Amino acid sequence: MNAEFGEVDRWAASGHVHGALDGLHLARTVTEEVWRTGKHFLPQPLLHRLGDIQNRHAVDRRPLLQAFLDCMLDKHEGRYWNRTYLSLPLLELLLDAPDDSEGAPDANRMAMLLIADVIRFETRESDESVDRDPPDPVTLRKRLRHALRFVAHDLGVPGADDLVSPAGHVPWSRWAEVADRLPRPTGTEAAHWFDVTVQPVYVLHDEYFFIRALQAHEMIFTAIAADVRAAIGALRDGRLEAAAGHVDRAAGLFDRASALFRMVATMRPGHFSAFRQFTQGASAIQSEQYKRFEILCGLPTAPRLRSEAFTGVPSVRAEAEGDGHDTVVRAYLDLRRSARFTDAEWNYFRSALGGLEERHQRWKSTHRSLAARMLGDAHGSGYTAGVPYLAECLDNRLFWQLGEQRGAGCPTGATGAGE
Protein backbone atom coordinates (compact mmCIF):
# COMPACT_ATOMS: atom_id res chain seq x y z
CA MET A 1 0.00 0.00 0.00
CA ASN A 2 1.34 3.42 -0.97
CA ALA A 3 2.45 5.89 1.67
CA GLU A 4 -0.48 8.20 0.96
CA PHE A 5 -2.83 5.45 2.21
CA GLY A 6 -1.41 5.49 5.72
CA GLU A 7 -4.83 6.23 7.16
CA VAL A 8 -6.27 3.20 5.38
CA ASP A 9 -3.43 1.10 6.80
CA ARG A 10 -4.17 2.29 10.34
CA TRP A 11 -7.84 1.38 10.04
CA ALA A 12 -7.09 -1.98 8.42
CA ALA A 13 -4.54 -2.90 11.10
CA SER A 14 -6.77 -1.94 14.01
CA GLY A 15 -8.72 -4.66 15.76
CA HIS A 16 -11.11 -2.13 17.29
CA VAL A 17 -12.14 1.48 16.94
CA HIS A 18 -10.42 4.07 19.08
CA GLY A 19 -10.20 7.83 19.21
CA ALA A 20 -7.20 8.06 16.91
CA LEU A 21 -9.16 6.62 14.01
CA ASP A 22 -10.80 9.49 12.12
CA GLY A 23 -13.54 8.34 9.73
CA LEU A 24 -13.65 11.66 7.89
CA HIS A 25 -9.88 11.61 7.37
CA LEU A 26 -10.21 8.09 5.94
CA ALA A 27 -13.00 9.24 3.59
CA ARG A 28 -10.98 12.22 2.40
CA THR A 29 -7.92 10.05 1.75
CA VAL A 30 -9.94 7.66 -0.39
CA THR A 31 -11.76 10.49 -2.18
CA GLU A 32 -8.46 12.08 -3.18
CA GLU A 33 -7.51 8.80 -4.85
CA VAL A 34 -10.90 8.62 -6.57
CA TRP A 35 -10.33 12.05 -8.04
CA ARG A 36 -6.92 10.96 -9.32
CA THR A 37 -8.04 7.71 -10.93
CA GLY A 38 -11.84 7.52 -11.06
CA LYS A 39 -13.77 5.11 -8.85
CA HIS A 40 -13.89 2.52 -11.62
CA PHE A 41 -10.08 2.33 -11.55
CA LEU A 42 -9.35 2.21 -7.82
CA PRO A 43 -6.58 -0.31 -7.09
CA GLN A 44 -7.83 -3.68 -5.92
CA PRO A 45 -5.60 -3.78 -2.79
CA LEU A 46 -7.22 -0.53 -1.63
CA LEU A 47 -10.72 -1.87 -2.25
CA HIS A 48 -9.95 -5.10 -0.35
CA ARG A 49 -8.67 -3.09 2.61
CA LEU A 50 -11.77 -0.89 2.59
CA GLY A 51 -13.95 -4.01 2.47
CA ASP A 52 -12.13 -5.41 5.50
CA ILE A 53 -12.60 -2.10 7.33
CA GLN A 54 -16.31 -2.07 6.52
CA ASN A 55 -16.81 -5.65 7.72
CA ARG A 56 -14.70 -5.24 10.86
CA HIS A 57 -16.38 -2.05 11.97
CA ALA A 58 -19.89 -2.81 10.74
CA VAL A 59 -21.35 -2.50 14.23
CA ASP A 60 -19.60 0.77 15.07
CA ARG A 61 -21.81 3.79 15.57
CA ARG A 62 -20.37 5.61 12.60
CA PRO A 63 -23.28 5.86 10.14
CA LEU A 64 -21.59 8.49 7.96
CA LEU A 65 -18.51 6.33 7.43
CA GLN A 66 -20.63 3.26 6.81
CA ALA A 67 -22.67 5.13 4.20
CA PHE A 68 -19.48 6.38 2.56
CA LEU A 69 -17.98 2.88 2.36
CA ASP A 70 -21.28 1.46 1.12
CA CYS A 71 -21.09 3.82 -1.86
CA MET A 72 -17.35 3.45 -2.38
CA LEU A 73 -17.45 -0.35 -2.57
CA ASP A 74 -20.53 -0.71 -4.77
CA LYS A 75 -18.68 -1.66 -7.94
CA HIS A 76 -16.21 -3.86 -6.08
CA GLU A 77 -19.05 -5.81 -4.45
CA GLY A 78 -21.30 -6.01 -7.52
CA ARG A 79 -24.15 -3.83 -6.26
CA TYR A 80 -23.55 -0.66 -8.24
CA TRP A 81 -26.64 1.44 -9.06
CA ASN A 82 -27.94 4.98 -9.17
CA ARG A 83 -28.13 5.56 -5.40
CA THR A 84 -24.54 4.60 -4.76
CA TYR A 85 -23.19 6.35 -7.87
CA LEU A 86 -24.73 9.57 -6.53
CA SER A 87 -23.72 8.89 -2.87
CA LEU A 88 -27.37 9.32 -1.88
CA PRO A 89 -27.10 7.17 1.30
CA LEU A 90 -24.53 9.66 2.60
CA LEU A 91 -26.28 12.79 1.34
CA GLU A 92 -29.55 11.71 2.94
CA LEU A 93 -27.83 11.41 6.31
CA LEU A 94 -26.66 15.00 5.90
CA LEU A 95 -30.30 16.06 5.58
CA ASP A 96 -30.66 15.05 9.23
CA ALA A 97 -27.60 17.04 10.35
CA PRO A 98 -28.49 20.34 12.07
CA ASP A 99 -27.34 23.59 10.50
CA ASP A 100 -25.97 26.46 12.61
CA SER A 101 -28.98 28.66 12.07
CA GLU A 102 -31.83 26.69 10.54
CA GLY A 103 -31.73 23.16 11.86
CA ALA A 104 -31.30 20.33 9.38
CA PRO A 105 -31.41 21.57 5.77
CA ASP A 106 -34.54 20.53 3.90
CA ALA A 107 -34.25 18.81 0.54
CA ASN A 108 -34.85 21.99 -1.47
CA ARG A 109 -32.11 23.83 0.41
CA MET A 110 -29.78 20.86 -0.04
CA ALA A 111 -30.35 21.13 -3.80
CA MET A 112 -29.27 24.76 -3.62
CA LEU A 113 -26.15 23.85 -1.63
CA LEU A 114 -25.24 21.22 -4.21
CA ILE A 115 -25.42 23.67 -7.11
CA ALA A 116 -23.58 26.33 -5.11
CA ASP A 117 -20.80 23.75 -4.83
CA VAL A 118 -20.83 23.41 -8.63
CA ILE A 119 -20.16 27.15 -8.91
CA ARG A 120 -17.27 26.93 -6.45
CA PHE A 121 -15.86 23.92 -8.31
CA GLU A 122 -16.06 25.60 -11.70
CA THR A 123 -14.49 28.86 -10.47
CA ARG A 124 -11.66 27.37 -8.45
CA GLU A 125 -8.08 27.34 -9.68
CA SER A 126 -7.75 24.25 -11.85
CA ASP A 127 -5.38 21.45 -10.88
CA GLU A 128 -4.37 19.76 -14.13
CA SER A 129 -3.22 16.61 -12.31
CA VAL A 130 -6.81 15.78 -11.29
CA ASP A 131 -8.89 18.08 -13.51
CA ARG A 132 -8.78 16.71 -17.03
CA ASP A 133 -10.01 18.91 -19.90
CA PRO A 134 -11.98 21.77 -18.29
CA PRO A 135 -14.52 23.51 -20.57
CA ASP A 136 -13.76 26.46 -22.80
CA PRO A 137 -14.61 29.94 -21.41
CA VAL A 138 -17.87 30.29 -23.39
CA THR A 139 -19.21 26.92 -22.22
CA LEU A 140 -18.07 27.56 -18.67
CA ARG A 141 -19.79 30.94 -18.41
CA LYS A 142 -23.02 29.49 -19.79
CA ARG A 143 -22.88 26.69 -17.22
CA LEU A 144 -22.21 29.15 -14.42
CA ARG A 145 -25.06 31.43 -15.46
CA HIS A 146 -27.55 28.54 -15.31
CA ALA A 147 -26.15 27.38 -11.96
CA LEU A 148 -26.29 30.86 -10.47
CA ARG A 149 -29.88 31.37 -11.63
CA PHE A 150 -30.80 28.19 -9.77
CA VAL A 151 -29.02 29.31 -6.59
CA ALA A 152 -30.09 32.95 -6.76
CA HIS A 153 -33.73 31.82 -6.82
CA ASP A 154 -33.38 31.08 -3.10
CA LEU A 155 -30.77 33.58 -2.03
CA GLY A 156 -31.09 36.81 -3.93
CA VAL A 157 -27.31 36.70 -4.37
CA PRO A 158 -25.85 40.25 -4.34
CA GLY A 159 -24.25 41.18 -7.64
CA ALA A 160 -25.76 38.23 -9.49
CA ASP A 161 -27.83 40.21 -12.01
CA ASP A 162 -24.93 41.07 -14.32
CA LEU A 163 -23.48 37.57 -14.04
CA VAL A 164 -26.62 35.73 -15.14
CA SER A 165 -27.17 38.02 -18.12
CA PRO A 166 -25.67 36.56 -21.34
CA ALA A 167 -25.00 40.09 -22.61
CA GLY A 168 -21.69 41.81 -22.00
CA HIS A 169 -18.39 40.61 -20.61
CA VAL A 170 -18.12 40.11 -16.86
CA PRO A 171 -14.65 39.99 -15.28
CA TRP A 172 -13.74 36.52 -14.04
CA SER A 173 -12.96 37.98 -10.62
CA ARG A 174 -16.65 38.76 -10.17
CA TRP A 175 -17.50 35.07 -10.42
CA ALA A 176 -14.90 34.21 -7.79
CA GLU A 177 -16.30 36.87 -5.45
CA VAL A 178 -19.85 35.55 -5.78
CA ALA A 179 -18.68 31.95 -5.36
CA ASP A 180 -17.01 32.89 -2.07
CA ARG A 181 -20.32 34.28 -0.76
CA LEU A 182 -22.38 31.23 -1.54
CA PRO A 183 -23.51 29.15 1.45
CA ARG A 184 -22.07 25.81 2.47
CA PRO A 185 -23.39 23.14 4.82
CA THR A 186 -22.43 24.21 8.34
CA GLY A 187 -22.90 23.39 11.97
CA THR A 188 -21.75 19.87 12.74
CA GLU A 189 -19.11 17.32 11.91
CA ALA A 190 -21.56 15.84 9.42
CA ALA A 191 -21.36 18.99 7.28
CA HIS A 192 -17.70 18.26 6.57
CA TRP A 193 -18.75 15.02 4.86
CA PHE A 194 -20.44 17.06 2.13
CA ASP A 195 -17.10 17.32 0.29
CA VAL A 196 -16.77 13.53 -0.05
CA THR A 197 -20.17 12.99 -1.68
CA VAL A 198 -18.82 13.23 -5.25
CA GLN A 199 -17.19 10.01 -6.44
CA PRO A 200 -16.63 10.20 -10.23
CA VAL A 201 -16.09 6.92 -12.03
CA TYR A 202 -13.60 8.52 -14.44
CA VAL A 203 -11.27 11.52 -14.54
CA LEU A 204 -12.94 14.04 -16.85
CA HIS A 205 -13.93 17.48 -15.58
CA ASP A 206 -17.63 17.41 -16.51
CA GLU A 207 -18.56 14.39 -14.42
CA TYR A 208 -18.27 16.40 -11.19
CA PHE A 209 -20.97 18.89 -12.08
CA PHE A 210 -23.05 16.12 -13.71
CA ILE A 211 -23.12 14.19 -10.43
CA ARG A 212 -24.01 17.31 -8.46
CA ALA A 213 -26.84 18.11 -10.88
CA LEU A 214 -28.28 14.59 -10.57
CA GLN A 215 -27.98 14.78 -6.78
CA ALA A 216 -29.86 18.09 -6.87
CA HIS A 217 -32.55 16.45 -8.99
CA GLU A 218 -32.98 13.77 -6.33
CA MET A 219 -33.30 16.44 -3.65
CA ILE A 220 -35.88 18.34 -5.72
CA PHE A 221 -37.95 15.20 -6.15
CA THR A 222 -37.64 14.52 -2.43
CA ALA A 223 -39.16 17.97 -1.85
CA ILE A 224 -41.84 17.42 -4.51
CA ALA A 225 -42.83 14.08 -2.95
CA ALA A 226 -43.06 15.76 0.47
CA ASP A 227 -45.49 18.35 -0.89
CA VAL A 228 -47.61 15.70 -2.61
CA ARG A 229 -47.68 13.70 0.61
CA ALA A 230 -48.79 16.84 2.47
CA ALA A 231 -51.53 17.34 -0.14
CA ILE A 232 -52.85 13.85 0.59
CA GLY A 233 -52.91 14.66 4.32
CA ALA A 234 -54.79 17.91 3.67
CA LEU A 235 -57.38 16.10 1.53
CA ARG A 236 -57.89 13.52 4.28
CA ASP A 237 -58.44 16.40 6.71
CA GLY A 238 -61.01 18.00 4.38
CA ARG A 239 -58.78 21.04 3.69
CA LEU A 240 -59.21 21.34 -0.06
CA GLU A 241 -57.61 24.76 -0.45
CA ALA A 242 -54.54 23.70 1.56
CA ALA A 243 -54.23 20.57 -0.60
CA ALA A 244 -54.30 22.72 -3.73
CA GLY A 245 -51.55 24.89 -2.26
CA HIS A 246 -49.29 21.86 -1.73
CA VAL A 247 -49.95 20.66 -5.28
CA ASP A 248 -49.11 24.13 -6.62
CA ARG A 249 -45.83 24.13 -4.70
CA ALA A 250 -44.95 20.72 -6.08
CA ALA A 251 -45.65 21.99 -9.60
CA GLY A 252 -43.44 25.01 -9.01
CA LEU A 253 -40.56 22.78 -8.00
CA PHE A 254 -40.69 21.18 -11.44
CA ASP A 255 -39.48 24.49 -12.84
CA ARG A 256 -36.38 24.10 -10.67
CA ALA A 257 -35.89 20.55 -11.92
CA SER A 258 -36.14 21.80 -15.51
CA ALA A 259 -33.58 24.53 -14.74
CA LEU A 260 -31.11 21.79 -13.84
CA PHE A 261 -31.53 20.33 -17.33
CA ARG A 262 -30.43 23.65 -18.83
CA MET A 263 -27.25 23.43 -16.80
CA VAL A 264 -26.65 19.78 -17.72
CA ALA A 265 -27.05 20.72 -21.40
CA THR A 266 -23.65 22.46 -21.15
CA MET A 267 -21.98 19.09 -20.64
CA ARG A 268 -19.89 18.11 -23.63
CA PRO A 269 -21.22 14.95 -25.31
CA GLY A 270 -17.67 13.63 -25.71
CA HIS A 271 -17.14 13.77 -21.94
CA PHE A 272 -20.49 12.11 -21.33
CA SER A 273 -19.68 9.29 -23.75
CA ALA A 274 -16.26 8.83 -22.16
CA PHE A 275 -17.40 8.34 -18.58
CA ARG A 276 -20.82 6.74 -19.13
CA GLN A 277 -19.15 3.53 -20.34
CA PHE A 278 -18.14 3.07 -16.68
CA THR A 279 -21.63 3.80 -15.30
CA GLN A 280 -23.44 0.81 -16.81
CA GLY A 281 -25.93 -0.40 -14.23
CA ALA A 282 -26.58 3.06 -12.76
CA SER A 283 -29.35 5.09 -14.34
CA ALA A 284 -31.92 7.77 -13.53
CA ILE A 285 -34.56 5.11 -14.20
CA GLN A 286 -33.62 3.88 -10.71
CA SER A 287 -34.58 7.16 -9.04
CA GLU A 288 -36.58 6.15 -5.99
CA GLN A 289 -37.69 9.69 -5.20
CA TYR A 290 -39.10 10.27 -8.69
CA LYS A 291 -41.03 7.00 -8.57
CA ARG A 292 -42.21 7.80 -5.06
CA PHE A 293 -43.60 11.11 -6.30
CA GLU A 294 -45.38 9.24 -9.10
CA ILE A 295 -47.05 6.67 -6.84
CA LEU A 296 -48.14 9.39 -4.41
CA CYS A 297 -50.03 11.17 -7.19
CA GLY A 298 -51.92 8.09 -8.34
CA LEU A 299 -51.42 4.36 -8.70
CA PRO A 300 -49.55 3.66 -11.97
CA THR A 301 -51.10 1.32 -14.51
CA ALA A 302 -50.43 -2.38 -14.07
CA PRO A 303 -48.13 -2.54 -17.13
CA ARG A 304 -46.06 0.36 -15.79
CA LEU A 305 -45.72 -1.25 -12.36
CA ARG A 306 -44.45 -4.38 -14.11
CA SER A 307 -42.06 -2.43 -16.34
CA GLU A 308 -38.36 -1.78 -15.83
CA ALA A 309 -39.29 1.62 -14.45
CA PHE A 310 -40.47 -0.07 -11.24
CA THR A 311 -38.67 -3.41 -11.24
CA GLY A 312 -35.49 -1.35 -10.78
CA VAL A 313 -36.89 0.19 -7.57
CA PRO A 314 -38.47 -2.78 -5.78
CA SER A 315 -38.94 -0.95 -2.47
CA VAL A 316 -41.06 1.74 -4.13
CA ARG A 317 -43.01 -0.83 -6.10
CA ALA A 318 -43.78 -2.62 -2.83
CA GLU A 319 -45.04 0.66 -1.38
CA ALA A 320 -47.34 1.17 -4.37
CA GLU A 321 -48.77 -2.34 -4.06
CA GLY A 322 -49.17 -2.19 -0.27
CA ASP A 323 -52.69 -2.23 1.19
CA GLY A 324 -52.16 0.99 3.12
CA HIS A 325 -50.77 3.04 0.25
CA ASP A 326 -52.60 6.34 -0.28
CA THR A 327 -52.59 8.69 -3.25
CA VAL A 328 -53.88 12.11 -4.24
CA VAL A 329 -56.37 10.47 -6.60
CA ARG A 330 -57.77 8.17 -3.91
CA ALA A 331 -57.97 10.92 -1.29
CA TYR A 332 -59.60 13.33 -3.77
CA LEU A 333 -62.29 10.84 -4.83
CA ASP A 334 -63.05 9.95 -1.21
CA LEU A 335 -63.41 13.63 -0.36
CA ARG A 336 -65.79 14.21 -3.28
CA ARG A 337 -68.07 11.50 -1.94
CA SER A 338 -68.00 12.72 1.65
CA ALA A 339 -67.87 16.51 1.54
CA ARG A 340 -69.47 19.41 -0.27
CA PHE A 341 -67.49 22.31 -1.67
CA THR A 342 -68.49 24.94 -4.17
CA ASP A 343 -67.82 24.44 -7.85
CA ALA A 344 -65.21 27.18 -7.62
CA GLU A 345 -63.39 25.29 -4.82
CA TRP A 346 -63.42 21.99 -6.73
CA ASN A 347 -62.26 23.78 -9.88
CA TYR A 348 -59.41 25.42 -8.00
CA PHE A 349 -58.12 22.04 -6.87
CA ARG A 350 -58.58 20.47 -10.32
CA SER A 351 -56.67 23.39 -11.80
CA ALA A 352 -53.81 22.66 -9.42
CA LEU A 353 -53.77 19.02 -10.57
CA GLY A 354 -53.75 20.17 -14.18
CA GLY A 355 -50.82 22.47 -13.49
CA LEU A 356 -48.82 19.67 -11.90
CA GLU A 357 -49.56 17.33 -14.81
CA GLU A 358 -48.54 20.00 -17.32
CA ARG A 359 -45.25 20.80 -15.54
CA HIS A 360 -44.51 17.08 -15.27
CA GLN A 361 -45.11 16.53 -19.00
CA ARG A 362 -42.94 19.53 -19.85
CA TRP A 363 -40.15 18.17 -17.63
CA LYS A 364 -40.32 14.76 -19.33
CA SER A 365 -40.17 16.35 -22.76
CA THR A 366 -37.11 18.39 -21.79
CA HIS A 367 -35.47 15.25 -20.40
CA ARG A 368 -36.07 13.42 -23.68
CA SER A 369 -34.60 16.29 -25.71
CA LEU A 370 -31.50 16.43 -23.54
CA ALA A 371 -31.04 12.66 -23.76
CA ALA A 372 -31.35 12.82 -27.55
CA ARG A 373 -28.50 15.35 -27.64
CA MET A 374 -26.26 13.36 -25.31
CA LEU A 375 -27.10 9.76 -26.26
CA GLY A 376 -28.14 9.88 -29.89
CA ASP A 377 -28.98 6.28 -30.82
CA ALA A 378 -27.07 4.77 -27.88
CA HIS A 379 -28.77 2.71 -25.19
CA GLY A 380 -29.38 4.17 -21.75
CA SER A 381 -26.95 3.40 -18.96
CA GLY A 382 -29.66 1.52 -17.05
CA TYR A 383 -29.93 -1.01 -19.91
CA THR A 384 -32.99 0.80 -21.31
CA ALA A 385 -33.50 1.68 -24.98
CA GLY A 386 -32.41 5.23 -24.18
CA VAL A 387 -34.26 8.00 -26.04
CA PRO A 388 -37.06 5.73 -27.39
CA TYR A 389 -37.78 4.66 -23.81
CA LEU A 390 -38.12 8.29 -22.71
CA ALA A 391 -40.38 9.00 -25.69
CA GLU A 392 -42.67 6.16 -24.61
CA CYS A 393 -42.82 7.63 -21.10
CA LEU A 394 -44.42 10.78 -22.48
CA ASP A 395 -47.67 8.81 -22.71
CA ASN A 396 -47.75 8.19 -18.95
CA ARG A 397 -50.05 10.42 -16.91
CA LEU A 398 -50.02 11.03 -13.17
CA PHE A 399 -53.79 11.27 -12.77
CA TRP A 400 -54.95 8.84 -15.46
CA GLN A 401 -57.41 7.20 -13.02
CA LEU A 402 -59.53 10.31 -12.86
CA GLY A 403 -60.35 9.82 -16.52
CA GLU A 404 -62.23 6.66 -15.54
CA GLN A 405 -64.31 8.38 -12.89
CA ARG A 406 -66.69 10.51 -14.99
CA GLY A 407 -70.22 9.90 -13.88
CA ALA A 408 -68.99 8.39 -10.60
CA GLY A 409 -68.63 11.43 -8.40
CA CYS A 410 -66.36 13.33 -10.79
CA PRO A 411 -68.14 16.00 -12.84
CA THR A 412 -67.35 16.53 -16.50
CA GLY A 413 -64.01 18.27 -16.78
CA ALA A 414 -62.70 16.94 -13.46
CA THR A 415 -60.10 14.89 -15.23
CA GLY A 416 -58.19 17.78 -16.77
CA ALA A 417 -54.83 16.62 -15.45
CA GLY A 418 -55.35 13.01 -16.34
CA GLU A 419 -56.18 13.18 -20.02
Side-chain angles (χ1 to χ4, degrees):
M1 189 68 65
N2 296 334
E4 61 264 29
F5 298 138
E7 186 69 12
V8 179
D9 290 338
R10 282 190 289 275
W11 276 85
S14 176
H16 64 282
V17 172
H18 51 79
L21 293 176
D22 184 343
L24 180 57
H25 188 193
L26 174 65
R28 285 174 170 164
T29 298
V30 175
T31 297
E32 288 173 3
E33 181 65 9
V34 169
W35 285 24
R36 280 192 292 269
T37 68
K39 186 166 73 171
H40 187 81
F41 298 95
L42 286 175
Q44 287 298 309
L46 172 62
L47 292 169
H48 286 302
R49 294 259 180 131
L50 293 177
D52 289 343
I53 291 168
Q54 183 184 47
N55 293 332
R56 185 175 303 167
H57 302 296
V59 297
D60 298 338
R61 295 181 179 178
R62 294 173 181 252
L64 294 166
L65 178 59
Q66 286 298 320
F68 173 83
L69 292 174
D70 180 61
C71 298
M72 187 57 57
L73 293 167
D74 55 357
K75 280 177 166 282
H76 179 63
E77 297 177 350
R79 48 180 180 75
Y80 177 67
W81 67 313
N82 194 56
R83 276 184 60 79
T84 51
Y85 173 55
L86 299 181
S87 295
L88 293 179
L90 182 53
L91 269 178
E92 288 166 356
L93 288 177
L94 303 191
L95 285 176
D96 297 327
D99 185 275
D100 277 340
S101 58
E102 302 180 7
D106 63 18
N108 196 30
R109 176 172 169 77
M110 180 60 81
M112 182 271 294
L113 293 173
L114 291 163
I115 303 306
D117 185 64
V118 168
I119 296 172
R120 284 191 295 271
F121 175 79
E122 298 289 356
T123 56
R124 83 204 191 293
E125 186 174 346
S126 180
D127 180 356
E128 293 184 359
S129 67
V130 295
D131 188 10
R132 318 288 170 80
D133 193 18
D136 63 85
V138 173
T139 300
L140 179 55
R141 282 180 167 81
K142 182 184 295 185
R143 180 177 301 171
L144 287 169
R145 284 198 299 270
H146 288 310
L148 188 57
R149 285 192 186 101
F150 185 94
V151 171
H153 178 276
D154 287 335
L155 298 178
V157 178
D161 291 344
D162 292 340
L163 295 176
V164 299
S165 172
H169 176 73
V170 178
W172 186 248
S173 61
R174 288 280 309 284
W175 280 105
E177 292 169 8
V178 170
D180 285 342
R181 292 199 296 266
L182 295 177
R184 303 170 183 265
T186 59
T188 68
E189 178 192 5
H192 299 298
W193 287 78
F194 182 83
D195 293 336
V196 298
T197 55
V198 178
Q199 306 296 342
V201 294
Y202 197 39
V203 293
L204 290 176
H205 178 101
D206 281 8
E207 192 181 358
Y208 186 102
F209 102 89
F210 177 70
I211 289 174
R212 282 300 195 214
L214 294 187
Q215 289 171 335
H217 252 116
E218 291 298 305
M219 294 298 111
I220 291 295
F221 276 110
T222 299
I224 290 173
D227 260 317
V228 175
R229 192 176 288 109
I232 295 171
L235 288 170
R236 290 302 180 192
D237 292 341
R239 297 180 293 113
L240 188 62
E241 183 176 358
H246 285 296
V247 172
D248 281 340
R249 278 191 290 276
L253 286 170
F254 264 100
D255 287 341
R256 289 176 63 66
S258 295
L260 289 171
F261 282 144
R262 290 191 285 275
M263 187 178 74
V264 172
T266 68
M267 183 169 58
R268 291 159 288 177
H271 274 213
F272 183 58
S273 297
F275 71 73
R276 73 180 297 272
Q277 63 184 305
F278 306 117
T279 65
Q280 289 298 325
S283 170
I285 197 176
Q286 299 161 343
S287 170
E288 291 183 329
Q289 293 304 332
Y290 173 74
K291 300 302 190 307
R292 190 160 284 117
F293 149 73
E294 186 177 345
I295 68 170
L296 286 168
C297 288
L299 193 66
T301 63
R304 180 154 173 81
L305 277 176
R306 292 194 300 267
S307 74
E308 55 199 338
F310 279 90
T311 56
V313 286
S315 63
V316 181
R317 181 180 175 180
E319 289 177 31
E321 295 175 335
D323 292 338
H325 178 65
D326 206 357
T327 69
V328 168
V329 169
R330 183 175 296 170
Y332 164 73
L333 294 175
D334 286 349
L335 186 60
R336 282 203 66 88
R337 287 188 288 267
S338 64
R340 287 189 64 85
F341 290 91
T342 66
D343 286 344
E345 289 171 317
W346 288 120
N347 287 337
Y348 177 60
F349 182 74
R350 290 196 298 268
S351 177
L353 293 186
L356 179 57
E357 188 79 79
E358 179 185 1
R359 302 285 183 88
H360 179 232
Q361 286 298 109
R362 191 186 309 162
W363 176 86
K364 289 193 294 183
S365 180
T366 303
H367 186 195
R368 180 182 63 84
S369 298
L370 178 61
R373 175 179 176 271
M374 293 294 175
L375 287 174
D377 296 330
H379 285 272
S381 55
Y383 308 114
T384 70
V387 176
Y389 167 79
L390 294 176
E392 291 174 7
C393 288
L394 292 175
D395 293 333
N396 298 327
R397 293 295 187 273
L398 298 172
F399 305 110
W400 65 274
Q401 289 170 298
L402 295 184
E404 301 174 355
Q405 298 297 325
R406 293 187 179 187
C410 242
T412 300
T415 66
E419 296 178 318

